[in-house]
Amino acid sequence: MIELKNVKKIYGKGKNELIVLDDINLKIEMREYASIIGPSGSGKTTLMNILGFIDVPTSGEYYFEGRLTSSLKDEELSKIRNKKIGFIFQNFNLISELTALENVELPMIYANINPSKRIKKAKELLKFVGLSNRMNHRPSELSGGQQQRVAIARALSLDPPLLLADEPTGNLDSKSWKEIIDLLEKLNEGGKTIIIITHDRQIASRTKRRIEILDGKIVKDESAGV
């Protein structure tokens, strides 16, 4: 599904040059459940931004589903980002004025999905994440764990094959983070490819593959049981 070849990301020039990613080679297969783990400043969020087409490499090649992404037009990249990738963020990124149902509907509105279809889908997704009784609540009326479940439902609204989760449990208590990880595991078992960006080894230990990054380099790549 994903292949990076000799990917570098450099900010600045000359004396101010900062190499954030240094010669990254990585393959992620369909239906994998992987974590990218590293301390703050290791380059893991930059790597996620490149995987999610939020940023582009300075050099090297990124293939998504066999297509060289640097050869694609902005419109094609935007279409891949919107339809193929669901994003889950540490801070939930919900719109405070909207209800849970309306937040989940939002990507489907942008995708011009029929109102009755999108409402039905949003309700189904909120039921899936265990929030049938919170559909009409705004984010301020929900706990952190509930807000993250709304965010996961929103990420699933266009049925993307890939989920990118950036520190998805960073703002949650231990009970809530376990519920979120259980939910991500269930989604992976259902066929989703999931990549979690984290600094937490406890979170990483729950994934089937752990990719460790330090100073912009992959220093370890291990599968569960290895």
Side-chain angles (χ1 to χ4, degrees):
M1 185 179 207
I2 284 171
E3 183 174 9
L4 301 183
K5 292 183 177 180
N6 307 114
V7 162
K8 282 194 172 190
K9 183 64 184 182
I10 301 170
Y11 293 108
K13 291 183 179 179
K15 291 180 180 179
N16 296 320
E17 184 177 278
L18 177 64
I19 300 173
V20 181
L21 295 176
D22 191 3
D23 206 32
I24 296 287
N25 290 280
L26 178 66
K27 284 184 182 180
I28 302 286
E29 303 293 343
M30 288 285 289
R31 302 192 174 195
E32 274 208 78
Y33 183 31
S35 55
I36 297 174
I37 183 169
S40 178
S42 59
K44 61 187 187 297
T45 297
T46 300
L47 178 55
M48 191 201 80
N49 288 342
I50 286 173
L51 294 176
F53 304 108
I54 295 168
D55 204 348
V56 294
T58 304
S59 62
E61 297 175 338
Y62 175 16
Y63 294 86
F64 188 90
E65 295 183 335
R67 302 170 77 190
L68 179 61
T69 58
S70 61
S71 68
L72 302 176
K73 295 177 181 176
D74 287 346
E75 187 179 327
E76 291 174 293
L77 291 173
S78 182
K79 191 178 288 187
I80 292 172
R81 184 170 60 242
N82 293 335
K83 295 190 174 181
K84 298 278 190 177
I85 305 173
F87 294 91
I88 303 163
F89 301 98
Q90 179 176 350
N91 295 322
F92 321 131
N93 288 11
L94 300 177
I95 296 177
S96 60
E97 296 84 5
L98 301 183
T99 64
L101 187 69
E102 290 165 340
N103 268 285
V104 176
E105 272 189 86
L106 205 54
M108 294 185 279
I109 292 172
Y110 293 137
N112 295 315
I113 291 173
N114 174 287
S116 60
K117 281 186 179 180
R118 70 176 184 247
I119 291 169
K120 182 173 182 283
K121 179 76 176 287
K123 286 181 176 179
E124 288 170 353
L125 288 168
L126 285 168
K127 183 179 179 182
F128 173 76
V129 300
L131 290 175
S132 292
N133 60 341
R134 292 285 188 273
M135 291 187 186
N136 296 312
H137 288 62
R138 288 182 170 79
S140 62
E141 301 169 312
L142 301 172
S143 69
Q146 289 170 339
Q147 289 184 65
Q148 192 59 292
R149 280 188 271 160
V150 174
I152 290 171
R154 180 187 57 190
L156 294 169
S157 61
L158 297 178
D159 199 25
L162 171 64
L163 292 178
L164 293 179
D166 189 9
E167 300 280 6
T169 62
N171 286 334
L172 305 180
D173 58 43
S174 59
K175 180 178 180 291
S176 296
W177 82 246
K178 285 172 184 170
E179 290 172 351
I180 295 302
I181 294 301
D182 287 345
L183 184 54
L184 292 175
E185 286 177 358
K186 185 176 178 182
L187 287 166
N188 176 245
E189 287 164 7
K192 298 292 183 191
T193 306
I194 298 177
I195 303 173
I196 295 179
I197 309 296
T198 185
H199 68 277
D200 190 328
R201 292 190 178 277
Q202 193 175 10
I203 303 295
S205 71
R206 293 281 297 267
T207 61
K208 295 174 184 174
R209 180 180 175 194
R210 292 171 293 282
I211 300 153
E212 191 162 343
I213 188 168
L214 186 65
D215 297 330
K217 292 178 178 287
I218 292 175
V219 294
K220 190 183 289 185
D221 187 345
E222 60 184 10
S223 297
V226 176

